[in-house]
């Protein structure tokens, strides 16, 4: 993970990434559960379930690049299904594609599990 990002942004940029992760995660979870309640076909159920799972990962900031990329891929597929079947609004899925892709490219920020697991460590050596 550290090879993907030279630093995990903190300060105001870190707060911005935290808010972006929270917005994207909550949107993926909310719209995924709302669409699952409509009783869609099996292919859509699988895609929305993956979307909810990636939303949870983004919410806590775990495997953010992978979760963001997977969310973007799943939502592109959902948007294509909606365009082709003329059912539902594809623009919500397209917005989620953009948000997921942004998080996959920018990273999780300092306030994430990724930063705790894969961020730079500071080692204090005892003075002798």
């Amino acid at each position: 993970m550290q090879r993907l990002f030279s630093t995990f942004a903190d300060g105001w940029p870190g707060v911005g990434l935290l808010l972006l992760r929270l917005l994207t995660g909550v949107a993926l979870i909310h719209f995924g559960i709302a669409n699952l309640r409509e009783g869609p076909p099996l292919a859509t159920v699988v895609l929305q379930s993956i979307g909810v799972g990636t939303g949870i990962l983004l919410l806590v900031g775990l495997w953010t690049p992978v979760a963001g990329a997977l969310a973007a891929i799943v939502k592109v597929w959902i948007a294509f299904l909606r365009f082709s079947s003329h059912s539902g609004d594809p623009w919500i899925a397209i917005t989620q594609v953009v948000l997921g892709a942004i998080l996959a490219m920018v990273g999780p920020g300092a306030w994430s599990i990724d930063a705790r697991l894969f961020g730079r460590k500071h080692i204090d050596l005892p003075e002798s």
Side-chain angles (χ1 to χ4, degrees), residues 24-64:
T24 306
V26 168
L28 286 167
I29 293 167
H30 170 73
F31 288 109
I33 291 173
N35 288 329
L36 287 174
R37 288 185 176 178
E38 296 174 359
L42 181 61
T44 306
V45 168
V46 171
L47 292 173
Q48 293 292 1
S49 298
I50 294 171
V52 169
T54 58
I56 292 169
L57 290 175
L58 290 174
L59 203 59
V60 298
L62 181 62
W63 301 330
T64 304

Side-chain angles (χ1 to χ4, degrees), residues 25-117:
V26 168
L28 286 167
I29 293 167
H30 170 73
F31 288 109
I33 291 173
N35 288 329
L36 287 174
R37 288 185 176 178
E38 296 174 359
L42 181 61
T44 306
V45 168
V46 171
L47 292 173
Q48 293 292 1
S49 298
I50 294 171
V52 169
T54 58
I56 292 169
L57 290 175
L58 290 174
L59 203 59
V60 298
L62 181 62
W63 301 330
T64 304
V66 174
L70 187 58
I73 291 167
V74 165
K75 289 299 180 171
V76 162
W77 197 346
I78 289 171
F80 176 74
L81 289 175
R82 289 193 177 163
F83 269 128
S84 63
S85 68
H86 303 289
S87 65
D89 184 16
W91 294 107
I92 294 172
I94 291 170
T95 302
Q96 291 172 347
V97 168
V98 172
L99 291 172
I102 289 170
L103 284 171
M105 291 184 270
V106 175
W111 291 298
S112 65
I113 294 176
D114 283 340
R116 300 293 174 250
L117 293 175

